[in-house]
Amino acid sequence: MQVEGIDVWRVLKGAGVKYVYFVIVDIYGRPRVDIMPIDMAKDAFIDGVPYDGSSIPAYSTVNRSDFVAVVDPSAVYVESWNGGKAAYVFTNTLDGNAPSPLDPRNVLKQVLERAEKRGYQFKIGVEVEYFVVRGNPPELPEKAGYFDVPPDATRKVVEEIMENFAAAGLGETKTHHEVAPSQFEVNIPYGNPLKTADSILMFKTMARAVAAKHGYTVTFMPKPFWGMNGSGAHTHISVWKDGKNLMASVKEPTQELKWVVGGILNNAISISAIVAPTVNSYKRLVPHHEAPTRVVWGLGNRSAMVRVPYYGGKINRIEYRHPDPSMNPYLAFAAVVLAGLEGLENRIEPPPPVQEVAYDLQGVRETPPNLGAALKYMEEGKIARELPSDFVKAYLGVKQAEWQSYAQQYQWEKTWNTITPWEYEQYLTTV
Ligand code: GLN
Ligand code: MG
Ligand code: MG
Ligand code: MG
């Protein structure tokens, strides 16, 4: 039986939900919400939510601004961190009667349908890293490291985040203190990429709210502190056919796994502006901090861009380490799936896996030096031509403006190894 929006409304009403937050995803992958009391929301579950598309980057222009967002009945999260009074309901925007190509959820849905038509299902899970900080410029409340017992300063925040993770319907997860002081990681469970992307937005929203209750800020900026590890969003990918994981094997990677790696490495430079989309992202992609700089892959190699997890020789997925949590996950997953599909269809054989620490390898391609360069590669690359052209145009527009705003104030050659006030202003609490 197909669940309709109105069925969801009845369940929410019955559960005592007081407000509905209708979520429209913007081009940065951030949630924008229209908030309605539950009774008023009933009609919106049937007819959709009307809104001003010209005020959400970058749906439209002011002369063509009336859009309708229809609810996705399979994407509903009841807020647990504020007493369960509100429900977040994701939407898809229509342009006339067709899905708007400027809605990132629509962009990803179309790419997943394309994969499905060719008989493939991609499943994606993500490790999201973040810092718990205070103030701007941010201060670190504690100095613990990898797998340390969290000191009191961050422990209460992290435990409350974990409690709410399950309660908000984000699934089961685990957490640990990461390498850098006051840095943590959480695992967004693997599954349908659209759901994983929704979960990332909900996770960030929840984690921010919980930290704020304790007087802290949770930041997802990729490199808040120079000289320490940054925060990645390692993206774990498996490809399935007829219910079977094509990447499952022992010791030797499968042919399909290698083709997907081939597709991702071939496109990695031109999708960098999508998976690492901020000025600050490129300060993370530097040697010796467990983030990739060389476009290579390896088994169990955390300095490579793609690592094949290889615990006891058992293989079931690949880990793409290039993305960071400032990405728009819908767009990033769309790009990754397109790159993987290209690898499968064109049987792209990757170069041999590397065993060495990759940072010093000579004669291999490197990640772009900064956002400006990454945007040029994106413009010239194949994946940008396979995504809806209106979306790509809008994305390049906002991202070029972001780069220009930085470049007008700072010279990259002089600031690549320092975190500027502009970045804190721009990213600390927003990405
Ligand atoms: N923080 C590292 C990054 O930026 C990853 C560290 C780890 O998970 N081992 O990608
Ligand atoms: Mg991890
Ligand atoms: Mg980690
Ligand atoms: Mg990892």
Side-chain angles (χ1 to χ4, degrees):
M1 195 192 81
Q2 180 86 30
V3 177
E4 304 282 343
I6 189 67
D7 303 321
V8 174
W9 179 83
R10 281 196 197 98
V11 172
L12 297 177
K13 170 89 179 159
V17 162
K18 300 243 179 330
Y19 297 98
V20 179
Y21 286 41
F22 291 102
V23 180
I24 295 154
V25 178
D26 73 15
I27 200 156
Y28 301 101
R30 296 174 203 160
R32 306 282 177 135
V33 295
D34 198 17
I35 304 167
M36 290 187 203
I38 187 78
D39 289 321
M40 188 181 185
K42 187 175 179 184
D43 287 348
F45 275 89
I46 302 165
D47 303 326
V49 182
Y51 72 94
D52 170 7
S54 71
S55 293
I56 297 186
Y59 273 85
S60 189
T61 45
V62 71
N63 55 332
R64 231 172 59 73
S65 59
D66 290 355
F67 285 81
V68 174
V70 292
V71 307
D72 179 344
S74 66
V76 178
Y77 298 82
V78 176
E79 173 196 74
S80 53
W81 55 99
N82 260 335
K85 287 198 190 69
Y88 285 74
V89 176
F90 283 77
T91 67
N92 297 311
T93 286
L94 297 178
D95 188 348
N97 287 321
S100 164
L102 290 160
D103 179 341
R105 294 184 90 246
N106 287 336
V107 172
L108 177 57
K109 273 170 81 170
Q110 276 165 15
V111 168
L112 296 175
E113 279 159 21
R114 201 190 301 188
E116 191 87 42
K117 275 204 197 105
R118 296 176 190 172
Y120 296 114
Q121 281 106 41
F122 284 74
K123 296 195 185 185
I124 290 182
V126 177
E127 304 169 65
V128 176
E129 295 176 334
Y130 62 92
F131 284 79
V132 179
V133 298
R134 218 198 296 258
N136 180 0
E139 279 166 30
L140 296 162
E142 43 97 329
K143 299 213 168 344
Y146 187 67
F147 267 38
D148 275 337
V149 176
D152 280 346
T154 51
R155 177 179 173 158
K156 291 199 187 72
V157 180
V158 169
E159 282 180 354
E160 206 174 316
I161 286 176
M162 292 302 280
E163 268 167 45
N164 284 293
F165 196 93
L170 297 171
E172 283 204 308
T173 193
K174 62 191 188 67
T175 198
H176 63 263
H177 201 292
E178 257 302 349
V179 174
S182 308
Q183 187 190 31
F184 290 84
E185 172 187 310
V186 82
N187 301 148
I188 309 290
Y190 85 101
N192 179 315
L194 183 66
K195 181 170 167 59
T196 304
D198 291 344
S199 295
I200 291 174
L201 268 61
M202 285 317 302
F203 168 70
K204 287 175 157 182
T205 303
M206 177 268 284
R208 284 198 176 102
V210 168
K213 280 200 219 171
H214 294 270
Y216 290 107
T217 301
V218 157
T219 185
F220 298 95
M221 70 187 281
K223 189 79 168 184
F225 305 97
W226 185 255
M228 293 176 192
N229 266 20
S231 291
H234 302 169
T235 299
H236 293 251
I237 306 148
S238 54
V239 183
W240 300 62
K241 194 172 203 135
D242 302 326
K244 196 174 147 262
N245 182 356
L246 299 177
M247 290 188 175
S249 66
V250 181
K251 292 245 157 66
E252 254 315 294
T254 64
Q255 183 63 65
E256 286 87 354
L257 183 149
K258 289 194 240 172
W259 286 334
V260 173
V261 171
I264 289 178
L265 294 186
N266 259 16
N267 289 290
I269 290 175
S270 66
I271 65 174
S272 193
I274 296 177
V275 299
T278 52
V279 172
N280 188 248
S281 295
Y282 293 83
K283 301 187 179 181
R284 166 177 170 259
L285 299 172
V286 299
H288 308 304
H289 292 280
E290 297 184 82
T293 62
R294 300 290 198 272
V295 184
V296 295
W297 70 299
L299 304 174
N301 188 343
R302 283 184 161 77
S303 65
M305 176 175 273
V306 175
R307 156 180 163 256
V308 178
Y310 199 67
Y311 298 105
K314 265 175 68 182
I315 301 174
N316 57 19
R317 64 187 191 279
I318 60 171
E319 179 196 45
Y320 181 33
R321 299 173 67 83
H322 185 182
D324 70 56
S326 68
M327 67 178 170
N328 174 339
Y330 304 91
L331 182 57
F333 298 168
V336 163
V337 169
L338 286 173
L341 265 185
E342 186 192 312
L344 285 164
E345 300 205 319
N346 298 346
R347 311 196 156 199
I348 300 174
E349 209 56 54
V354 302
Q355 278 161 14
E356 308 86 316
V357 173
Y359 300 122
D360 302 322
L361 286 178
Q362 298 299 311
V364 292
R365 290 175 308 145
E366 296 181 37
T367 47
N370 56 46
L371 181 61
L375 288 165
K376 289 211 181 79
Y377 288 119
M378 180 179 163
E379 243 180 317
E380 297 156 6
K382 249 180 291 166
I383 299 294
R385 285 200 296 274
E386 293 193 37
L387 293 164
S389 56
D390 286 353
F391 188 89
V392 171
K393 207 171 134 208
Y395 186 81
L396 288 170
V398 296
K399 285 291 161 184
Q400 271 151 358
E402 193 173 315
W403 171 247
Q404 282 312 321
S405 159
Y406 180 85
Q408 268 159 19
Q409 278 188 57
Y410 304 99
Q411 269 178 278
W412 184 259
E413 294 68 32
K414 291 192 180 142
T415 55
W416 65 274
N417 59 356
T418 173
I419 313 302
T420 59
W422 183 93
E423 285 160 87
Y424 290 134
E425 194 53 42
Q426 192 81 17
Y427 303 128
L428 189 69
T429 58
T430 53
V431 293

